[in-house]
Amino acid sequence: MEHIVIIGNGIAGVTAARHIRKESDKKITLISAEADYFFSRTALMYVYMGHMRWWDIEPYESYFWKKNDLNLKNAYVEKVDTDAKTLHFAEGDAMHYDKLIIASGSTTNTFGSEGLDLNGVQGLVTKQDLEKLEKNAPNKKECPNAVIVGGGLIGVEMAEMLRTRGIEVTMLVREDAFWTSALPKPEAEMLSRHIQSHGVDIRHETNLDKILGDENGNVRAVVIKETSEEIPCKVVGITTGVKPNITFLKDSGIETDKGILVNRKLETSVKDVYAIGDCAQQREPIGNRPPVEAVWYTGRIMGETLAQTICDNPWEYNPGNWFNSAKFFDIEYQTYGWVQPKRRRKDSEAQFHWKCKSDLRCITVSYHTENKQFLGINTFGIRMRHEVFDRWLNEKRDVDYVIKHLKKANFDPEFYRKYEKEILSAYKNQQPVTA
């Protein structure tokens, strides 16, 4: 019986296993040193905040794996011998495979600052990171102050988590507003104000110089590069992005760059070896998408795609229109299509921006300057329907049509206030709407 071995039990690896099982009776083994069972990584913060228990974020009951004949192995892969098709584990044993799927995910990108090895310095990517945070910051008495280095989605999640326990938080953000590397300036500025309203001290245009420890090897402070100021803290959260977890592939013969290089069929440079999820890097980026995508739904799509190829029905990876969602304290965020920050914006891209007087809701609509084709939308504080914007992007609707028909995309509950009229009025004042 052909043995399919999957390194990683995140959304990409588990989706591949589930769909291979639907299509075949192949032997399937999932390997992970992180957790016995698959869990929802995006829900880690809610366990720390007390909104959910650990088993609440495990989508499948423990009997699911045996019922579906999916073998689980808790182990760390130390070496991949592609010539012998053998995995070698840190525990000393080994395993043969016929086909190998690498879905090893991401790890925190630290950029080599001084003091990273001190107790209390950590990221927020894995189950082990969550356990560290519970140990390092159980309450404000044990951890009165924390510093978060970097903004972005992980940074704001960690800030919210710590604030729920009354811990004072300082964020070091190198940009002049929150997450301007991904968002237009008006949105970034609104988020900065909102995060500050939750008691977070955001230091814009500020960089970490080094992390200081005490005589016991514990964090005691960070030093700011620009001013040499010391900020006392017990925890330092490193949230400066993630990178593919691929160090164990050294000497494997598998071609890598930032991630594991794959083609559209998710094949690596070695026969019978594939890569999916956060660790995979497209040799030829798809449209405006980055070659490495650390996004939940793209990992799921890759898993579904590769399963078909493994079962002799070759598919090519096609993620469709870009979309994503997140939450910044009280503000929900959705994006469909492309709304570029200033540094990535082309001369042919124009943007319409509207913001509510409450400073809690806004939208930015991107469109082509010549033909007015709708390119994308960011929404903050207003829930929108994915399928509607996906259809409008595929139909290449113009921006006038989108603004006039925003009501069709609104997903807010019945008694929520609607803002379509205000948005249309603001748009008309900017430029006329054609029939």
Side-chain angles (χ1 to χ4, degrees):
M1 184 182 296
E2 186 176 46
H3 188 193
I4 311 298
V5 175
I6 303 171
I7 301 175
N9 69 347
I11 184 62
V14 168
T15 301
R18 287 177 49 244
H19 284 264
I20 293 169
R21 175 55 68 238
K22 286 181 181 179
E23 302 292 333
S24 74
D25 60 356
K26 300 177 188 290
K27 181 180 179 182
I28 302 171
T29 301
L30 285 146
I31 301 168
S32 174
E34 180 183 13
D36 289 333
Y37 301 113
F38 167 57
F39 64 91
S40 177
R41 196 171 303 280
T42 55
L44 281 174
M45 64 183 295
Y46 300 113
V47 175
Y48 180 89
M49 293 165 67
H51 299 172
M52 304 178 81
R53 299 157 299 183
W54 180 260
W55 52 88
D56 293 328
I57 69 171
E58 292 180 348
Y60 306 113
E61 299 287 351
S62 57
Y63 64 78
F64 170 86
W65 310 98
K66 185 175 181 180
K67 178 183 177 181
N68 289 279
D69 196 20
L70 298 172
N71 304 296
L72 305 180
K73 182 175 176 64
N74 191 315
Y76 179 78
V77 178
E78 202 166 57
K79 181 182 177 182
V80 178
D81 184 343
T82 54
D83 291 330
K85 290 192 168 184
T86 301
L87 306 180
H88 296 273
F89 301 108
E91 295 77 10
D93 54 335
M95 178 181 291
H96 176 80
Y97 66 84
D98 293 304
K99 286 188 170 67
L100 177 65
I101 300 173
I102 305 172
S104 51
S106 298
T107 186
T108 300
N109 208 355
T110 57
F111 297 104
S113 300
E114 182 182 337
L116 289 171
D117 57 340
L118 293 167
N119 299 323
V121 181
Q122 65 163 99
L124 186 62
V125 176
T126 66
K127 179 187 179 185
Q128 286 70 32
D129 289 336
L130 179 68
E131 292 168 345
K132 282 183 183 179
L133 192 62
E134 190 64 64
K135 178 182 177 182
N136 294 331
N139 53 58
K140 64 180 180 180
K141 182 178 179 181
E142 296 289 328
C143 177
N145 306 87
V147 171
I148 296 173
V149 182
L153 302 181
I154 297 177
V156 76
E157 284 183 359
M158 184 178 279
E160 182 175 359
M161 292 163 70
L162 294 167
R163 290 299 296 144
T164 62
R165 300 196 181 186
I167 296 168
E168 297 297 323
V169 176
T170 300
M171 294 188 77
L172 309 185
V173 177
R174 66 181 180 178
E175 297 95 355
D176 59 358
F178 187 82
W179 210 27
T180 54
S181 60
L183 300 175
K185 189 72 171 290
E187 299 173 347
E189 291 175 336
M190 185 186 80
L191 287 180
S192 284
R193 293 189 294 270
H194 182 65
I195 294 167
Q196 289 168 334
S197 76
H198 282 269
V200 177
D201 178 16
I202 296 186
R203 306 286 188 94
H204 294 116
E205 299 179 291
T206 303
N207 291 276
L208 172 70
D209 182 21
K210 57 186 174 181
I211 305 169
L212 304 178
D214 62 18
E215 64 278 5
N216 297 315
N218 300 313
V219 169
R220 69 171 180 83
V222 302
V223 178
I224 302 303
K225 182 173 290 186
E226 289 76 11
T227 62
S228 298
E229 175 191 358
E230 287 190 18
I231 302 178
C233 58
K234 294 290 186 180
V235 164
V236 177
I238 305 297
T239 63
T240 47
V242 295
K243 61 182 179 181
N245 178 24
I246 58 172
T247 55
F248 66 97
L249 296 177
K250 184 181 179 182
D251 301 324
S252 67
I254 300 169
E255 192 177 353
T256 64
D257 180 37
K258 292 181 179 179
I260 304 167
L261 291 167
V262 297
N263 59 20
R264 289 288 190 273
K265 292 182 181 177
L266 306 168
E267 299 167 323
T268 71
S269 60
V270 175
K271 189 178 186 307
D272 295 330
V273 179
Y274 309 83
I276 56 177
D278 296 11
C279 67
Q281 177 180 341
Q282 291 289 321
R283 290 181 181 274
E284 298 177 4
I286 300 171
N288 289 325
R289 289 175 175 270
V292 178
E293 294 185 287
V295 183
W296 181 90
Y297 77 87
T298 57
R300 176 182 55 78
I301 295 172
M302 287 185 195
E304 293 176 357
T305 299
L306 182 55
Q308 295 300 315
T309 297
I310 294 291
C311 296
D312 302 318
N313 181 27
W315 280 11
E316 289 195 354
Y317 172 57
N318 178 17
N321 293 312
W322 169 259
F323 71 94
N324 203 2
S325 63
K327 189 169 175 286
F328 301 91
F329 282 89
D330 302 324
I331 299 178
E332 292 187 42
Y333 158 68
Q334 295 170 292
T335 183
Y336 304 104
W338 296 104
V339 181
Q340 301 287 13
K342 184 176 181 180
R343 67 185 181 88
R344 292 203 300 267
R345 200 175 307 152
K346 297 177 181 178
D347 292 340
S348 59
E349 179 183 346
Q351 294 179 349
F352 161 69
H353 180 74
W354 168 87
K355 183 172 71 69
C356 177
K357 292 179 181 179
S358 69
D359 207 27
L360 296 173
R361 297 171 187 83
C362 74
I363 70 165
T364 301
V365 180
S366 178
Y367 59 96
H368 197 282
T369 52
E370 293 181 6
N371 59 19
K372 302 187 78 173
Q373 180 183 328
F374 171 57
L375 301 176
I377 184 170
N378 286 351
T379 73
F380 291 82
I382 301 174
R383 295 178 185 175
M384 296 290 190
R385 296 180 186 274
H386 174 210
E387 64 272 18
V388 174
F389 284 116
D390 193 54
R391 183 173 69 251
W392 288 346
L393 287 165
N394 289 333
E395 293 172 348
K396 300 185 185 304
R397 292 289 187 177
D398 63 47
V399 62
D400 295 347
Y401 179 92
V402 170
I403 296 294
K404 287 174 65 177
H405 294 86
L406 276 179
K407 186 176 180 180
K408 292 183 178 180
N410 196 299
F411 192 58
D412 275 330
E414 182 180 0
F415 296 108
Y416 271 51
R417 183 180 171 186
K418 302 297 190 292
Y419 295 90
E420 288 88 1
K421 289 183 179 179
E422 291 181 31
I423 294 169
L424 179 59
S425 176
Y427 181 73
K428 284 181 176 179
N429 290 332
Q430 174 186 271
Q431 59 183 345
V433 180
T434 58

